[in-house]
């Protein structure tokens, strides 16, 4: 895109060992004046004591393959396989976290609507902004992230999201909720954001439910509710204490679907001061907004997905990774 945009490919990892991880490429274009690229790695440890590992490194000599499907830079390659069913992610940009992973799709990908985009503006044929999400909801991951304290085997499950924010982030959303739930049989994913008051505080939600290798349903008729707020005394953001995430839709054979996750979030994994983490130049995208101090609150816990498909009811325990983000 020629205008201001932020594009990301992010792989959310849940290892059989209990480690939670994330590897991400961010490609930013600021008003066609300058592009930057960054590779991020984050690891949460299951013991609840070891400080999480965070690596974030600017990339040099970055680009794409001829088909624009794979990304490369000095010491980084995110490569889509020829058959389009797996990504290999390799990074030696940071000695604290050397990444060598393969993420293989085990269920179909999806996007909501014709092209996965939500459009901003009064003229759909000429929007002034857009937001696009595409999901590989259920994947298996193999490989390692080598840290200074040893090799971490990330064999387990993964969620892959490709997102393109075709506008300044603070124009797109005032707050976000993100849900990644993985269990032995089911996957439930959701991106939920509320536009700023200047754009009507409109709630946009895209998500889906997967059972084994099949999409049960995907669409925009879902919701993310903070059922209890504890607040953050350090910055006045309404940090959630308890949540309820709901999905509804229809199977391809016409059966109604409803599902939900509900519970207390417990102690957060991390609180990310976004302005302290993003590259300096990218701050200019958000920094011009007086009083904008975005934070991301991150959580992971065991929860039970309750789902009804037609007359069939079931439930299954799994692992939730969730984020609540407040921007403006």
């Amino acid at each position: 895109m020629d205008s201001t945009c932020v594009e990301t490919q992010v792989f959310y990892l849940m290892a059989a060992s209990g480690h939670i991880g994330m590897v991400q490429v961010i490609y930013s274009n600021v008003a066609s004046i300058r592009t930057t690229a960054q590779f991020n790695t984050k690891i949460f440890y299951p013991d609840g004591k070891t400080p999480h590992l965070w690596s974030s490194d600017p990339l040099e000599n970055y680009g794409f393959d001829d088909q624009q499907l794979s990304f490369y830079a000095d010491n980084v390659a995110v490569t889509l396989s020829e058959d389009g069913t797996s990504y290999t992610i390799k990074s030696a940009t940071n000695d604290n976290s050397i990444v060598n992973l393969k993420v293989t799709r085990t269920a179909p990908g999806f996007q909501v609507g014709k092209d996965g985009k939500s459009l901003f503006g009064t003229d759909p044929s000429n929007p002034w902004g857009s937001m696009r999400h595409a999901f590989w909801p259920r994947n298996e991951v193999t490989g390692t992230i080598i840290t200074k304290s040893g090799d971490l085997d990330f064999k387990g499950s993964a969620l892959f999201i490709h997102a393109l924010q075709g506008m300044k982030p603070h124009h797109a959303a005032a707050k976000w909720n993100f849900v990644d739930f993985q269990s032995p049989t089911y996957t439930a994913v959701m991106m939920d954001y509320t536009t700023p008051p200047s754009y009507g505080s409109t709630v946009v939600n895209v998500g889906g439910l997967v059972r084994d290798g099949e999409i049960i349903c995907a669409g925009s008729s879902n919701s993310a509710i903070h059922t209890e707020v504890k607040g953050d005394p350090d910055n006045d953001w309404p940090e959630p204490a308890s949540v309820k995430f709901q999905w509804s839709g229809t199977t391809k054979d016409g059966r109604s679907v409803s599902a939900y996750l509900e519970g207390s979030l417990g102690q957060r994994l991390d609180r990310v001061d976004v302005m302290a983490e993003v590259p300096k130049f990218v701050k200019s995208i958000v920094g011009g907004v007086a009083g904008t101090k975005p934070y991301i609150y991150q959580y992971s816990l065991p929860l039970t997905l309750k789902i009804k498909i037609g007359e069939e009811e079931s439930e299954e325990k799994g692992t939730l990774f969730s984020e609540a983000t407040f921007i403006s």
Side-chain angles (χ1 to χ4, degrees):
M1 293 182 69
D2 294 328
S3 55
T4 295
C5 64
V6 181
E7 186 168 3
T8 71
Q9 288 193 324
V10 55
F11 300 85
Y12 295 94
L13 315 169
M14 293 183 180
S17 61
H19 293 82
I20 301 286
M22 177 198 81
V23 292
Q24 178 185 41
V25 172
I26 304 179
Y27 181 87
S28 304
N29 176 351
V30 182
S32 297
I33 300 168
R34 179 174 172 186
T35 58
T36 61
Q38 196 92 359
F39 190 86
N40 298 330
T41 305
K42 193 166 194 175
I43 299 170
F44 295 106
Y45 292 83
D47 61 8
K49 300 172 188 173
T50 306
H52 67 266
L53 185 151
W54 167 249
S55 305
S56 183
D57 298 280
L59 302 178
E60 301 292 337
N61 299 314
Y62 46 82
F64 302 88
D65 68 350
D66 290 341
Q67 294 178 290
Q68 304 284 297
L69 297 173
S70 300
F71 175 89
Y72 59 85
D74 289 352
N75 298 312
V76 169
V78 180
T79 309
L80 182 66
S81 63
E82 279 193 26
D83 64 3
T85 61
S86 66
Y87 276 97
T88 54
I89 306 104
K90 296 187 178 184
S91 171
T93 59
N94 194 305
D95 289 342
N96 292 317
S97 52
I98 298 172
V99 177
N100 186 3
L101 299 170
K102 183 178 182 181
V103 171
T104 303
R105 191 160 50 82
T106 58
F110 73 86
Q111 57 189 15
V112 175
K114 184 177 67 175
D115 55 10
K117 286 184 181 178
S118 303
L119 303 179
F120 290 67
T122 54
D123 179 3
S125 64
N126 187 29
W128 60 259
S130 65
M131 186 87 74
R132 178 179 186 266
H133 288 100
F135 302 85
W136 283 10
R138 194 166 175 85
N139 308 270
E140 62 181 26
V141 58
T142 56
T144 60
I145 300 179
I146 302 171
T147 73
K148 291 287 180 66
S149 56
D151 297 9
L152 296 179
D153 182 355
F154 260 91
K155 181 177 175 59
S157 61
L159 163 66
F160 167 58
I161 300 177
H162 189 155
L164 177 59
Q165 196 163 281
M167 57 204 299
K168 297 181 179 181
H170 60 277
H171 288 171
K175 57 185 179 181
W176 288 83
N177 290 285
F178 166 62
V179 182
D180 173 19
F181 174 85
Q182 304 282 344
S183 72
T185 311
Y186 292 100
T187 293
V189 299
M190 182 188 297
M191 277 285 189
D192 175 279
Y193 63 94
T194 303
T195 64
S198 59
Y199 206 78
S201 299
T202 304
V203 178
V204 180
N205 187 303
V206 292
L209 297 165
V210 175
R211 179 166 58 184
D212 292 325
E214 275 193 292
I215 294 174
I216 302 170
C217 66
S220 56
S221 301
N222 317 300
S223 63
I225 304 163
H226 295 178
T227 54
E228 183 186 353
V229 172
K230 64 182 175 185
D232 185 343
D234 293 337
N235 56 32
D236 294 333
W237 287 124
E239 181 188 358
S242 300
V243 291
K244 185 172 186 178
F245 302 122
Q246 298 173 289
W247 290 260
S248 63
T250 307
T251 63
K252 61 185 178 184
D253 58 4
R255 290 178 293 162
S256 63
V257 178
S258 62
Y260 69 91
L261 292 163
E262 185 174 25
S264 168
L265 291 169
Q267 188 67 30
R268 66 186 181 227
L269 290 177
D270 194 17
R271 181 185 67 185
V272 181
D273 179 347
V274 175
M275 297 305 279
E277 302 290 4
V278 297
K280 286 188 176 67
F281 193 76
V282 179
K283 288 180 187 177
S284 63
I285 301 178
V286 180
V289 187
T292 302
K293 192 148 177 69
Y295 278 88
I296 304 171
Y297 296 84
Q298 298 176 312
Y299 310 89
S300 182
L301 62 150
L303 270 187
T304 298
L305 179 74
K306 298 187 177 179
I307 185 165
K308 184 177 182 182
I309 305 171
E311 297 304 313
E312 170 199 349
E313 294 188 43
S314 59
E315 59 181 60
E316 189 165 89
K317 190 174 182 180
T319 300
L320 170 73
F321 177 76
S322 181
E323 295 181 339
T325 301
F326 301 97
I327 299 173
S328 60

